[in-house]
Amino acid sequence: MQYLLMLHLDETAWPQMTPAEQQQGAAAYAAFTEALSAQGALAGSNRLQPSSTATTVRLADGKPQVLDGPFADSKEQVGGYYLIDVPDLDAAIAWAARCPTASHGTVEIRPVWAMPA
Amino acid sequence: MTDEAQAAARRVADAVARRSYGKLVAYLAARTGDVAGAEDALAEAFAAALADWPAKGCPETPEAWLLTVARRKAADAGRRGRTAMAASGRLKLIAEELEAAAAAPEIPDRRLALMFACAHPAIDPAMHAPLMLQAVIGLDAARIASAFLVSPAAMGQRLVRAKGKIRRAGVPFAIPPREALAERSEAVLDAIYAAFAEGWSDPSGADPARRDLTEEAMFLARLAAELMPDAPEALGLLALMLYAEARRPARRGPGGEYVPLADQDPALWVAPMIEEAETVLRRAGGLGAIGRRQLEAALQSAHVARGRAGLSNWAETVQLYDALYALTASPVVAVNRALALAETKGAAAGLAAMPAEDERLAAYQPYWAARAELLARNGEAEGARHAYDLAIGLELDPAVRAFLQRRRAALPT
């Protein structure tokens, strides 16, 4: 089964970190990605630019309404994701717990909507 | 057939039907992840069994009987042109699993895995017990709802939602690995005890839905103990529930009035249930890992021994509460410990050992009842009156309320 691990974190923390801390942080994510990959569980992953770069679009009266900023303005934002392929929710929970985000933010696990074959 | 024989036949048929139904739901759900689909596939067969078996007797192979009826119903549904439904992937999958089950020489018992799925940490803890009552023993939402004081519609919706989460989120149907087993078993036992406690809050057994739930919870506790024979806490829970249930006939007087433990007539306790509890508790003790539920059961055992033999074992009782408190740090345990301590060291010592009032205890009736009792015994009538007032105001059960009012009225002015 595929699960999307959405990494919710306080993105203001990163710029305040020293270069050494940033390097250490990035290395932790790289190691996590490597572990997922080595177990054959990684289906995709990306880090996202900060939410200040977000643009939201929706149609209002048939016309696209474009807004500067994220969909929901809250303290924690989606900073990245992992798409993983594992047997069940317990396996997904085990990976989410190892994800570095779990120690400074929140990992949301969402099963991917499986299309009928 | 006499009424009694009829009732007995119904009980046997009911138990056999629920065992087989639960086994089949667990088997199908474990294969497909789809609890609701498994229940749907078996619903009509289960209803037919509950109607037929009490009169005709249980079939020799109850699971095969249920499967035969379920397959016929599925085929009928297909023929009646419910093609849209029959073609849906979920139902087709369930239908295939029904065929596979019918061809299997024996249905493996996956009910423990189903219990672990129902009590999974990804499922709302308040739904663990209702899910188990429905999926493992086939109780309908209306009966579960009335026991948990929720509207049937709301309970139905929550059950649907929880089963949807199990299926769509891929909650596993499996015995958790060793490192997670203790914690995950706790959740299963908590759910069983929650179902039992709902039933026990109607000690007169006047409300049929609640009384039945006690029996159903007992069924689940026996099942958990049977499927986890090496888990001391599963045995501890079964023993605890047996002790409590054994005292039910003594908890109310002839006029329906509340009878506290100390005043109960031990002759009214159900002796075979107590013997079974003692045996189960000894077996748990033999497994060499003490736990909360075993200690709670041991306390019940001490109450029983005191009541039956009239011996004073309060010192031993206090020790058990000490151990339980060390394990749980629960203020409720501290309250009971203080009451036991008062029996050996006097009311003043009991009062001194009472936990400090906090937010949780302030709304906890037994805390105020215990305080009132100890204050009264210590000659502090004014304080006792105040504590009784709070206990009376917090009590739900009219019989207990009347008991507390009698106690309060007996205080010297």
Side-chain angles (χ1 to χ4, degrees):
Chain A
M1 249 183 107
Q2 286 202 336
Y3 295 86
L4 187 68
L5 308 186
M6 283 183 281
L7 316 185
H8 297 267
L9 38 84
D10 176 5
E11 56 192 17
T12 60
W14 179 263
Q16 290 167 19
M17 286 159 70
T18 65
E21 285 170 338
Q22 288 187 347
Q23 203 173 16
Q24 201 182 3
Y29 278 96
F32 176 64
T33 311
E34 180 57 35
L36 269 172
S37 174
Q39 298 290 315
L42 185 66
S45 168
N46 272 303
R47 183 179 178 181
L48 301 178
Q49 293 283 354
S51 62
S52 58
T53 64
T55 308
T56 43
V57 182
R58 68 163 163 230
L59 284 191
D61 298 327
K63 271 172 52 189
Q65 193 182 29
V66 180
L67 288 171
D68 176 27
F71 175 62
D73 223 346
S74 62
K75 194 168 178 294
E76 294 197 326
Q77 295 289 343
V78 177
Y81 69 86
Y82 284 93
L83 183 64
I84 64 172
D85 202 335
V86 293
D88 57 38
L89 182 62
D90 279 358
I93 292 172
W95 282 115
R98 295 185 193 115
C99 177
T101 307
S103 59
H104 60 90
T106 307
V107 181
E108 180 179 346
I109 305 171
R110 291 282 287 272
V112 168
W113 194 297
M115 289 298 160
Chain B
M1 224 191 295
T2 63
D3 284 355
E4 211 169 296
Q6 226 164 9
R10 194 172 317 119
R11 266 201 304 279
V12 170
D14 208 70
V16 174
R18 287 185 197 285
R19 281 194 94 80
S20 304
Y21 170 80
K23 260 179 94 170
L24 288 173
V25 167
Y27 174 80
L28 294 176
R31 308 260 299 189
T32 60
D34 190 350
V35 177
E39 287 172 341
D40 286 349
L42 294 161
E44 288 187 60
F46 182 50
L50 288 179
D52 285 13
W53 297 1
K56 296 182 189 156
C58 298
E60 216 161 283
T61 51
E63 279 124 53
W65 190 100
L66 285 169
L67 275 173
T68 306
V69 178
R71 286 164 68 211
R72 198 167 60 229
K73 299 282 180 195
D76 285 355
R79 263 199 301 281
R80 258 183 272 129
R82 282 151 66 177
T83 37
M85 267 181 72
S88 96
R90 277 175 67 197
L91 288 181
K92 231 166 90 186
L93 187 58
I94 287 280
E96 282 166 20
E97 290 299 337
L98 272 179
E99 294 304 318
E106 201 188 341
I107 307 292
D109 193 346
R110 305 293 307 275
R111 283 177 296 179
L112 186 57
L114 176 60
M115 286 188 186
F116 277 112
C118 290
H120 193 276
I123 303 294
D124 174 8
M127 288 310 293
H128 292 177
L131 266 178
M132 255 188 235
L133 289 165
Q134 179 146 83
V136 184
I137 40 187
L139 285 203
D140 61 44
R143 259 175 76 194
I144 299 170
S146 88
F148 284 86
L149 300 176
V150 190
S151 81
M155 181 55 81
Q157 269 172 9
R158 286 176 209 170
L159 284 164
V160 167
R161 196 181 160 274
K163 287 175 210 164
K165 170 97 190 249
I166 289 177
R167 177 172 61 85
R168 292 159 76 175
V171 168
F173 288 77
I175 315 297
R178 181 181 287 273
E179 68 272 13
L181 190 58
E183 204 185 323
R184 296 280 313 274
S185 310
E186 271 301 293
V188 169
L189 300 180
D190 276 347
I192 295 172
Y193 191 72
F196 182 71
E198 286 303 331
W200 225 57
S201 55
D202 176 45
S204 60
D207 179 345
R210 291 194 159 200
R211 191 185 50 226
D212 283 358
L213 211 53
T214 323
E215 282 168 30
E216 308 298 359
M218 198 64 90
F219 181 101
L220 286 175
R222 284 186 192 283
L223 189 61
E226 176 192 322
L227 298 174
M228 297 189 275
D230 299 328
E233 283 292 273
L235 297 173
L237 177 66
L238 176 58
L240 172 65
M241 285 167 54
L242 284 165
Y243 281 122
E245 191 59 16
R247 290 207 310 270
R248 179 185 295 278
R251 296 183 73 215
R252 286 291 184 267
E257 69 276 12
Y258 169 73
V259 184
L261 177 58
D263 299 339
Q264 287 174 13
D265 176 4
L268 293 175
W269 296 344
V270 184
M273 246 183 216
I274 292 176
E275 305 324 322
E276 188 186 356
E278 304 272 2
T279 308
V280 171
L281 184 57
R282 264 199 304 278
R283 219 168 79 223
L287 294 169
I290 200 70
R292 172 158 67 100
R293 295 189 174 80
Q294 292 170 78
L295 285 170
E296 284 169 351
L299 277 160
Q300 296 286 334
S301 176
H303 294 327
V304 164
R306 187 167 56 244
R308 276 179 158 181
L311 61 102
S312 171
N313 56 5
W314 287 110
E316 182 198 345
T317 304
V318 171
Q319 280 179 0
L320 284 168
Y321 278 124
D322 284 341
L324 192 55
Y325 187 78
L327 217 59
T328 62
S330 150
V332 172
V333 172
V335 169
N336 287 315
R337 181 184 170 278
L339 281 175
L341 196 71
E343 298 291 335
T344 56
K345 302 250 163 78
L351 278 170
M354 279 291 258
E357 182 194 328
D358 65 9
E359 219 172 278
R360 203 177 134 208
L361 284 176
Y364 181 63
Q365 184 272 24
Y367 171 72
W368 293 108
R371 259 200 104 76
E373 181 71 32
L374 294 179
L375 286 167
R377 272 196 247 169
N378 208 36
E380 299 175 51
E382 208 39 55
R385 241 185 298 279
H386 172 68
Y388 272 127
D389 280 339
L390 287 167
I392 291 162
L394 289 168
E395 180 54 52
L396 287 173
D397 187 331
V400 176
R401 202 154 51 217
F403 166 80
L404 292 168
Q405 282 171 320
R406 282 197 302 278
R407 289 281 230 225
R408 187 186 184 282
L411 288 169
T413 45

